[in-house]
Amino acid sequence: MELKGKTLSLLSKVLALVFVIVCFVVSVVARIPIPIDDTIKVAVFVALVFSPVDVSMWIQNFFGSRPRKTIPDDGKDHDAGGV
């Protein structure tokens, strides 16, 4: 099974959400004082670990459709009007 960027990004967000919910349930049921602020900070960190994947996909979607100008191997730009 090969995990790609979009899948890893989604899994990190799901893991962060599950972590917060589990910590909240354990705090209420077991009456263990778990600071919710620290729990949310850890969850946000886990979710933001893969945020560069999201940003790179946004950049690819917005700017990836533009045609790139390539220079031939001889190094001369034939589209510039000069010979």
Side-chain angles (χ1 to χ4, degrees):
M1 182 172 129
E2 181 180 339
L3 293 175
K4 300 209 177 200
K6 191 173 184 178
T7 306
L8 286 174
S9 177
L10 181 62
L11 286 176
S12 70
K13 290 175 179 68
V14 170
L15 179 68
L17 179 65
V18 168
F19 178 74
V20 169
I21 291 172
V22 167
C23 285
F24 179 73
V25 169
V26 166
S27 178
V28 170
V29 172
R31 297 180 192 244
I32 299 173
I34 300 174
I36 196 68
D37 291 342
D38 294 338
T39 305
I40 292 174
K41 287 176 188 176
V42 169
V44 168
F45 174 76
V46 169
L48 289 178
V49 165
F50 290 100
S51 65
V53 174
D54 294 332
V55 173
S56 69
M57 287 189 306
W58 295 338
I59 290 172
Q60 184 179 10
N61 287 338
F62 289 128
F63 301 112
S65 61
R66 293 183 182 173
R68 295 183 182 176
K69 183 177 180 182
T70 57
I71 298 176
D73 292 334
D74 61 1
K76 296 179 182 177
D77 191 4
H78 299 289
D79 293 335
V83 178

